Amino acid sequence: MPQIGTLYVCATPIGNLGDITLRVLETLKAVDFIAAEDTRHSRKLLDHYHIKTPLLSYHDHNEKSRAEEIVRFLKEGKSGALVSDAGMPGISDPGHILIARCQEEKICVDVLPGANAALTALVLSGMPAENFLFLGFLPSTKTERKKILREMTEIPYTIILYEAPHRIKATLEDILEILGDRQTAVARELTKLHQTVHRGLVNELLQEFRLAPVKGECCIILAPAEKNIDPGDPSLWMEDLRKFEKDGKDRKEAMKMVAKKYGMSKSMIYKAFLDQK
């Protein structure tokens, strides 16, 4: 009876082809086959590193049937690698079904870490990263998208979303309606030549994207929900004013941000500032 093979789950670059580990490259060369989300896309990566390992397709439309075939190969003693178009298989990409089937069949699964768009965007955004919630892609239909967002209204953590460029405005509109005008970062073209991070309140980003269409897959990073506060407490206004100034904002801009956050006029914020001097 042949020794059972191993499935290696390999992270691949999310843009820059240099963002791949030596361990992944060695594994892709050594295995008997590579299961890829898009064989044409993965062939470019393999050709770049002169890797000749045979490819077979493994995507959303054949995931269940192909998983059984791969399990059979592994039971025959072959070893295989699982890759997605970018990042870690199983994270908003095919992979979960195959990994679960391997575990059911007592087949060894090893995960080789590497590039990940969500974590890259989170760190790049400057948002709090101690606690965060990853939602992946929201549903494409407005009703289902809003349903999930309503469940997030009181979440006190940074929220990470993936979104396609043609849906970014619709998603931000729903976020503004349901989660409010909170601080947001939209990262796109991560690790590529034109990597860009757009920062601001949701409404500000919406205005920007209405003027200039977005290109490239996007990561949306939402600031944690604000704790319930009393907008009439001037000490809270001053606390935020000092925080915004510490972050590099001049006093005029900081007062504008405080006024917008609490729904107050700038003159009221300025008066409170004078009263506490």
Side-chain angles (χ1 to χ4, degrees):
M1 184 175 179
Q3 184 178 356
I4 295 178
T6 297
L7 177 69
Y8 297 94
V9 182
C10 299
T12 54
I14 58 175
N16 190 313
L17 292 181
D19 294 334
I20 190 167
T21 69
L22 293 174
R23 186 177 171 213
V24 167
L25 290 175
E26 292 167 357
T27 299
L28 294 178
K29 291 176 182 177
V31 293
D32 297 297
F33 65 89
I34 299 170
E37 182 181 5
D38 184 334
T39 55
R40 293 169 299 179
H41 182 89
S42 295
R43 176 51 63 195
K44 296 175 184 177
L45 174 68
L46 299 185
D47 286 347
H48 182 78
Y49 287 104
H50 309 292
I51 297 172
K52 305 299 183 183
T53 307
L55 283 164
L56 57 89
S57 64
Y58 180 78
H59 47 71
D60 286 329
H61 302 295
N62 72 353
E63 191 170 7
K64 290 185 178 180
S65 59
R66 187 68 90 179
E68 297 307 316
E69 184 179 358
I70 293 172
V71 165
R72 187 173 72 251
F73 290 157
L74 296 169
K75 283 186 170 183
E76 292 171 354
K78 296 176 182 177
S79 287
L82 174 64
V83 300
S84 62
D85 288 350
M88 180 64 73
I91 305 297
S92 294
D93 277 323
H96 165 72
I97 290 176
L98 175 58
I99 293 167
R101 283 291 294 122
C102 286
Q103 292 171 345
E104 289 171 1
E105 297 293 334
K106 306 294 190 256
I107 295 170
C108 181
V109 177
D110 197 5
V111 177
L112 282 58
N116 175 267
L119 296 182
T120 302
L122 172 62
V123 175
L124 195 58
S125 73
M127 297 287 185
E130 292 81 8
N131 299 287
F132 57 89
L133 177 65
F134 174 66
L135 292 180
F137 285 97
L138 292 178
S140 58
T141 61
K142 196 175 190 70
T143 301
E144 290 302 311
R145 189 164 59 235
K146 284 187 172 183
K147 180 180 177 182
I148 291 177
L149 289 173
R150 288 190 186 97
E151 297 172 356
M152 302 296 116
T153 53
E154 302 298 326
I155 296 294
Y157 312 130
T158 300
I159 297 174
I160 307 173
L161 307 169
Y162 287 160
E163 192 51 278
H166 66 278
R167 282 203 301 265
I168 188 74
K169 286 183 285 187
T171 295
L172 288 176
E173 286 169 355
D174 291 341
I175 289 171
L176 179 61
E177 177 185 339
I178 296 170
L179 300 183
D181 201 14
R182 63 178 70 183
Q183 287 294 323
T184 302
V186 175
R188 60 184 184 83
E189 302 280 57
L190 287 170
T191 77
K192 298 180 182 178
L193 180 63
H194 299 293
Q195 171 178 289
T196 307
V197 181
H198 307 263
R199 296 181 178 88
L201 295 170
V202 179
N203 195 40
E204 293 171 340
L205 294 182
L206 262 174
Q207 293 178 37
E208 179 181 348
F209 295 151
R210 284 168 182 154
L211 293 174
V214 181
K215 296 180 180 179
E217 295 293 324
C218 300
C219 288
I220 303 173
I221 315 295
L222 301 173
E226 294 284 352
K227 296 178 181 177
N228 291 327
I229 53 179
D230 176 8
D233 185 352
S235 66
L236 293 177
W237 307 348
M238 295 305 102
E239 184 179 325
D240 278 342
L241 181 65
R242 289 189 291 271
K243 184 180 77 171
F244 290 138
E245 287 181 333
K246 188 177 179 181
D247 289 342
K249 304 294 183 183
D250 61 39
R251 181 154 296 160
K252 184 177 179 181
E253 180 65 18
M255 285 187 176
K256 180 180 176 182
M257 292 172 70
V258 173
K260 191 166 190 175
K261 176 177 176 179
Y262 291 95
M264 312 298 287
S265 67
K266 284 187 289 184
S267 61
M268 290 186 68
I269 303 300
Y270 183 67
K271 183 178 183 301
F273 170 74
L274 294 177
D275 289 343
Q276 294 204 10
K277 285 187 70 175

